Amino acid sequence: MIDPAALDVADPEEATRQRDELVEQVRDHTGKIAYQLAKFQGGDYGQQEFETERGTWTVKYEAGDLQYLRFEGGRGFEVYVVSTKQHPEPEALAKALEDYEAFVESYNEYVRSLDGLLDDVDPEYPPVETTEGVVAERDQLLNRIEEACNLIAGELHRYEGGDYGTFTTRVDGTRWELKWDTDGVSYLRAGGSGGVYLLSQYEPPSAADVRKYAPMVGGVIDAYNEHVADLESDLATVSL
């Protein structure tokens, strides 16, 4: 009978140590390649393949850091030389590293191929037109509309009392709503609840919306004046 205690067991410690040292050296070296690829490609993550006579090397990176280096040789041979999971078998590592220098040269050829890539890009661009003029015209129109609406708001507040209220009407089929409070006009909206706010406490309307709806504001004022006439009260009429 064989006595297991009498058998010698080989210690792979030295081979493991050498494997780990090699992997770390490759990680540091290929990490520089991953960083350069990330800078050039401009993304947070990605991968790039490099062909050699013996196979294909794949560099995968994330946030500029190397995620893995994989070598795929002939006859189904594949090994992750560097990965975030585990180190490769020493024999497979040794076989892959026989082609590592060719991989680096393939990367260098790729980088050299980028020389002059942007030489034909014309750095001269046409001047950019400013919207300053049309914005000034829009703001001038809105200021006039706001002044008129503030007068309406003041008169309605004086007549109706309370802290806030609304005046609604239709002009050429479009519903208009003027909301007022103690400070004056709160908003002027065309087109119902999902419509366009010509006046509001938020951003101004587009110039296209002002072009479409500003000509109707005179109709809103006419409707208010008719409302005043119907009330036969002390409310003052307003003109724009």
Side-chain angles (χ1 to χ4, degrees):
M1 177 181 292
I2 298 176
D3 180 6
L7 297 177
D8 291 332
V9 177
D11 185 355
E13 181 178 355
E14 180 61 21
T16 301
R17 183 189 64 79
Q18 291 179 340
R19 186 272 314 273
D20 292 349
E21 287 181 356
L22 277 173
V23 168
E24 291 307 311
Q25 290 172 3
V26 173
R27 185 190 303 276
D28 290 343
H29 190 262
T30 311
K32 300 174 183 177
I33 293 176
Y35 176 73
Q36 295 299 328
L37 288 173
K39 282 207 309 182
F40 170 69
Q41 296 182 352
D44 290 335
Y45 57 89
Q47 66 180 41
Q48 185 81 24
E49 292 184 351
F50 300 93
E51 301 291 336
T52 67
E53 291 184 359
R54 294 187 181 186
T56 302
W57 292 81
T58 302
V59 178
K60 182 176 175 59
Y61 58 87
E62 183 172 339
D65 294 328
L66 178 66
Q67 292 298 296
Y68 68 69
L69 174 65
R70 183 179 66 216
F71 175 65
E72 297 171 274
R75 299 179 181 179
F77 176 75
E78 179 183 278
V79 57
Y80 283 80
V81 177
V82 177
S83 79
T84 58
K85 297 180 179 179
Q86 63 183 30
H87 288 335
E89 293 293 331
E91 184 177 353
L93 174 65
K95 182 176 179 180
L97 290 184
E98 290 176 358
D99 195 53
Y100 186 78
E101 185 174 350
F103 151 63
V104 176
E105 180 55 33
S106 179
Y107 162 76
N108 288 337
E109 288 179 2
Y110 168 73
V111 173
R112 287 192 290 267
S113 72
L114 302 176
D115 289 345
L117 179 65
L118 301 178
D119 286 352
D120 295 333
V121 177
D122 187 357
E124 298 295 330
Y125 302 102
V128 176
E129 295 292 341
T130 177
T131 61
E132 183 177 354
V134 68
V135 168
E137 292 178 6
R138 177 199 65 188
D139 292 347
Q140 186 177 16
L141 273 172
L142 292 178
N143 287 337
R144 291 180 60 194
I145 294 171
E146 185 173 14
E147 289 175 2
C149 289
N150 275 330
L151 289 175
I152 293 175
E155 291 299 324
L156 290 172
H157 174 56
R158 183 169 68 86
Y159 174 78
E160 297 182 9
D163 293 333
Y164 57 89
T166 58
F167 172 75
T168 61
T169 188
R170 283 191 175 273
V171 177
D172 296 333
T174 299
R175 186 179 188 276
W176 287 79
E177 180 174 285
L178 185 155
K179 183 174 182 180
W180 55 268
D181 55 29
T182 55
D183 294 327
V185 60
S186 178
Y187 67 71
L188 177 65
R189 183 178 65 207
S193 60
V196 172
Y197 287 82
L198 274 189
L199 301 176
S200 77
Q201 58 182 324
Y202 303 108
E203 70 276 359
S206 69
D209 285 336
V210 172
R211 177 183 177 85
K212 179 178 180 179
Y213 292 107
M216 299 184 192
V217 174
V220 176
I221 295 174
D222 287 340
Y224 161 75
N225 288 336
E226 291 176 7
H227 174 65
V228 172
D230 290 342
L231 290 175
E232 295 182 350
S233 68
D234 294 334
L235 287 176
T237 59
V238 172
S239 62
L240 180 62

